[in-house]
Amino acid sequence: MTARILVVDACCLLNLLATGRELELAVALDATFLVTPQAHGETRYLCGPPDPDVDGQPPTQIPVELSPLMQAQRLEVHALSEADAEAFIACASHLRDADASSVALAATRHVPLASDDGKVKKIARRLYPEMEVISTLQIIREAVEHVGIVGEPLKQLLQDLCTRGNFSPPRRDPARAWFEALK
Amino acid sequence: MISSKQLGERIAAARKRQKQTQAELAAKMGFARTTLITIEKGERPLSSVELMRLGEILAVPVNELLREHSVVGEVAPRFRMGPIVGVEMSETAMAVERVRKMAVRYVELERLHEIERVPGRLEALEMYRATAAGARVDPRLAGRDAAFTVRNALSLGDGPALALDERFEVEAGLRIFYPRLGRSVAALFFWSDELGSCIAINRDHPHERRRWSLAHEVGHFLRDREAGDVFPAGGHPRNDPSEVFSESFAAEFLLPQSGLSKQVADRLRANGGRFTPPDIVSLAHLYEVSFEAMTLRLEDLGALHKGTYERLKAHRFRPQDAQAKLGLPRLKADTPILPKRYVTLALQAYADELISEGDLAEFLETDRVTARGMYNAACQQLTDDDDMLELPLGQDLMELGGLDKL
């Protein structure tokens, strides 16, 4: 049984996968990530190297690989039950089903929600002011400081986050200054 | 927050799209049919559990049923999918549904931005409508006249008509998409009160053909927008007045008689009275139509003898080889599926946190990470000094003032 449970939405899960060190980060935090089936369904591709055979050489799509996290029991797909229906419906008036289910799951389980999505965070805070909402960068920062990943390995991790995840730190991310200083 | 009545209407619309009767859906939900009737009328509220189940059974996102800016957008009932010679109907029905969804999303984006579209100039043109008194005019003549009127309205003169998509979007309020439409369909047109006029052009066709299809569908927009159109890849029967009008419109709009006549006369003067197949190739390239379309048009105008195209074909004249030898570049066919304005509205909505990343991916018909890449690219612009400039996508420049100083 891990010390922490976090609900990750599709946005955050993709970002963690983009680092290529998602299992390490989960272990460093002693965390299990919960994802709803709808959010899981939208966690599909990362950005790969350019395709030389296509005009303009657009990036390729690399299917995500969730099995290492799941096999290590650091990621669980957790469907909503009828008991979560009211929370889900309240969220689904404002958010697409994948995002609504993530917020609803975090609300009904009373656990933090990990998201980088501006609209998701806005709605979560409006409907559940007491909910803890954390960002990918906050997760990464806490994990790397816990296990002492610094210097070039840390820069590479953040570089992979940007290139494989097309990540750009949200304007109001609490860890944005930390990220910018390291880039 | 939407009303019970609105929710009921959306449930009914979703049920009908799934081709389910009220009895069938009620049975799946464990209701009496009368209960479902009251739900669809907005007279009985649904519990959260019932709403979740309904979403699963109707295969519709619950958010689509509940969100404020959701658009039902049923295609006008007069757009009938009766058998059309040479058209694979099930393939076409799927294409119509795909385009309908794109149009629905377009309208939703406008609503999110609180944009109430003001009709463009061409939308107000009534005189070519099939129901107007002018319908008694010979459709070929009417089509030519309509083309002249539209060219004037767009200040095109009698030269090549380029950048048509943006002109028609603004001046006619058309929503123009470029999806794959299968092998048997060149273009689609439909209209509804809620969605406006929507045109889909087959992206697998060459650029020149797509332009012709677009002009043809604009003809339908002018003449009989409620009826809609499926433009078969093999062409329409020539005796239908709407088709005669639309083809005549397309021909005169893309290849105006006065402009072409001048072009031919100029070339004759320059070439000592000779007019050769490479001249046709060169003109076709200038006007961005196919060699066939240009040759037939010149025959029609009397500039070439009837049968010239068939004779050239029989002699195996290869227009593409001639084009390459003349050093004329091949006109590119990589038109985006979605209109520029649509993409801009989607990116701005994301910047303003009106939509989420997942919504953005859905609007852009791609995955989340690719959508992020498109957003990042839109936000960044290289300056003249090769620095990267971050653009505040959502900022309204009118708020900064300045227009009154022009």
Side-chain angles (χ1 to χ4, degrees):
Chain A
M1 184 75 181
T2 56
R4 287 169 85 174
I5 308 286
L6 297 172
V7 171
V8 288
D9 72 354
C11 176
C12 183
L13 183 53
L14 279 166
N15 290 333
L16 294 172
L17 292 166
T19 65
R21 299 177 76 161
E22 63 279 4
L23 182 53
E24 230 174 301
L25 296 172
V27 169
L29 295 173
D30 194 18
T32 299
F33 302 130
L34 302 185
V35 66
T36 63
Q38 297 96 322
H40 175 250
E42 292 192 5
T43 310
R44 297 174 60 208
Y45 299 107
L46 294 174
C47 198
D51 187 344
D53 297 330
V54 177
D55 259 351
Q57 298 196 2
T60 45
Q61 288 176 321
I62 308 289
V64 300
E65 187 51 74
L66 291 170
S67 48
L69 272 178
M70 285 180 151
Q71 280 162 13
Q73 296 181 319
R74 296 291 178 168
L75 178 70
E76 290 176 15
V77 179
H78 213 90
L80 296 180
S81 66
E82 286 191 0
D84 306 313
E86 220 171 291
F88 172 68
I89 296 302
C91 297
S93 300
H94 308 283
L95 295 170
R96 64 191 287 103
D97 287 13
D99 299 326
S101 63
S102 303
V103 175
L105 186 63
T108 54
R109 299 296 182 276
H110 304 288
V111 297
L113 171 70
S115 176
D116 298 305
D117 191 301
K119 187 180 177 189
V120 171
K121 291 189 293 189
K122 185 169 75 176
I123 300 299
R125 286 181 178 131
R126 188 198 304 165
L127 293 177
Y128 303 102
E130 72 286 359
M131 182 186 289
E132 187 186 353
V133 181
I134 58 176
S135 70
T136 300
L137 288 182
Q138 285 178 296
I139 291 174
I140 292 174
R141 182 178 185 180
E142 189 185 331
V144 300
E145 285 176 355
H146 191 78
V147 296
I149 300 175
V150 294
E152 283 308 312
L154 177 55
K155 276 192 179 170
Q156 186 61 56
L157 184 154
L158 295 176
Q159 182 61 38
D160 287 342
L161 170 63
C162 293
T163 49
R164 285 162 31 103
N166 275 334
F167 176 80
S168 196
R171 277 193 298 273
R172 295 186 292 273
D173 194 310
R176 185 182 170 119
W178 169 81
F179 171 87
E180 296 289 353
L182 285 166
K183 225 175 62 173
Chain B
M1 193 71 180
I2 63 164
S3 66
S4 304
K5 187 163 181 288
Q6 278 175 297
L7 176 58
E9 285 166 1
R10 291 176 186 183
I11 291 169
R15 174 180 58 76
K16 287 169 190 168
R17 272 201 301 282
Q18 289 286 323
K19 299 196 188 337
Q20 289 193 43
T21 63
Q22 284 176 325
E24 283 165 346
L25 179 57
K28 286 176 187 173
M29 287 293 294
F31 294 150
R33 183 172 163 265
T34 46
T35 304
L36 183 63
I37 290 172
T38 57
I39 289 171
E40 290 187 355
K41 282 184 181 172
E43 291 165 3
R44 177 200 179 284
L46 283 157
S47 71
S48 299
V49 171
E50 286 168 340
L51 259 173
M52 274 177 76
R53 278 214 66 224
L54 208 51
E56 281 167 23
I57 292 170
L58 290 173
V60 65
V62 174
N63 174 247
E64 202 172 294
L65 293 173
L66 295 178
R67 68 177 178 257
E68 214 177 298
H69 299 103
S70 199
V71 173
V72 170
E74 293 307 324
V75 168
R78 284 179 58 189
F79 182 67
R80 299 196 184 285
M81 301 297 296
I84 300 171
V85 173
V87 172
E88 170 47 57
M89 294 313 288
S90 59
E91 188 180 62
T92 306
M94 280 170 51
V96 168
E97 179 56 16
R98 184 173 174 209
V99 178
R100 186 195 71 83
K101 280 187 178 159
M102 287 191 227
V104 160
R105 287 188 217 126
Y106 203 156
V107 175
E108 285 200 21
L109 280 171
E110 288 174 342
R111 288 187 184 178
L112 277 167
H113 286 289
E114 296 177 10
I115 294 171
E116 199 165 322
R117 274 191 58 249
V118 175
R121 274 184 285 173
L122 296 182
E123 287 178 275
L125 264 184
E126 291 286 331
M127 59 198 193
Y128 302 107
R129 303 291 292 274
T131 47
R136 279 179 246 125
V137 175
D138 173 74
R140 204 160 178 229
L141 190 59
R144 282 209 293 266
D145 185 54
F148 180 75
T149 301
V150 171
R151 272 187 161 263
N152 271 350
L154 301 182
S155 305
L156 286 172
D158 62 6
L162 305 178
L164 288 179
D165 290 30
E166 283 166 43
R167 286 181 192 272
F168 283 134
E169 277 225 9
V170 171
E171 299 290 348
L174 292 172
R175 305 186 193 281
I176 303 169
F177 307 95
Y178 287 87
R180 298 212 139 83
L181 293 177
R183 282 191 200 168
S184 60
V185 175
L188 294 171
F189 165 70
F190 59 76
W191 171 90
S192 81
D193 247 332
E194 214 170 6
L195 303 180
S197 297
C198 305
I199 291 178
I201 310 291
N202 196 331
R203 70 182 289 99
D204 288 332
H205 285 180
H207 170 77
E208 297 85 350
R209 185 167 184 190
R210 295 203 308 255
R211 279 169 49 80
W212 194 280
S213 296
L214 175 59
H216 178 97
E217 298 308 325
V218 171
H220 281 287
F221 160 77
L222 290 170
R223 182 178 164 91
D224 43 19
R225 72 193 60 159
E226 290 87 356
D229 180 55
V230 177
F231 189 12
H236 264 299
R238 302 264 168 176
N239 52 356
D240 180 331
S242 282
E243 296 311 322
V244 171
F245 175 92
S246 298
E247 275 297 278
S248 177
F249 172 84
E252 181 63 28
F253 181 78
L254 292 173
L255 301 169
Q257 178 170 3
S258 60
L260 265 191
S261 301
K262 274 188 255 174
Q263 289 281 348
V264 170
D266 285 347
R267 278 156 207 268
L268 285 168
R269 273 193 292 273
N271 295 341
R274 295 178 68 227
F275 191 80
T276 62
D279 286 312
I280 304 176
V281 168
S282 173
L283 273 181
H285 189 268
L286 178 66
Y287 280 85
E288 297 193 12
V289 297
S290 68
F291 175 81
E292 178 182 356
M294 180 57 79
T295 314
L296 293 175
R297 179 65 173 153
L298 291 172
E299 286 182 25
D300 209 35
L301 295 176
L304 293 174
H305 292 300
K306 287 277 182 206
T308 300
Y309 177 70
E310 289 303 323
R311 274 198 297 282
L312 287 169
K313 227 169 93 170
H315 279 98
R316 307 218 174 146
F317 175 73
R318 288 161 148 30
Q320 282 177 356
D321 290 351
Q323 187 174 323
K325 282 179 187 153
L326 290 168
L328 297 170
R330 215 155 159 214
L331 294 165
K332 287 238 167 184
D334 55 357
T335 307
I337 296 175
L338 300 166
K340 271 190 212 156
R341 178 172 172 266
Y342 173 111
V343 172
T344 302
L345 288 176
L347 295 173
Q348 281 176 337
Y350 180 63
D352 293 340
E353 295 181 356
L354 298 174
I355 61 174
S356 69
E357 177 186 274
D359 292 324
L360 180 65
E362 187 175 338
F363 278 117
L364 299 180
E365 298 208 342
T366 188
D367 65 287
R368 282 174 174 255
V369 170
T370 304
R372 289 177 191 180
M374 290 173 70
Y375 177 74
N376 293 341
C379 284
Q380 293 176 339
Q381 186 71 48
L382 269 182
T383 65
D384 292 339
D385 301 324
D386 283 347
D387 284 333
M388 198 57 84
L389 182 68
E390 289 278 343
L391 301 175
L393 263 195
Q395 184 165 43
D396 182 355
L397 297 178
M398 294 297 109
E399 282 180 357
L400 299 178
L403 197 62
D404 55 336
K405 296 182 179 65
L406 287 177

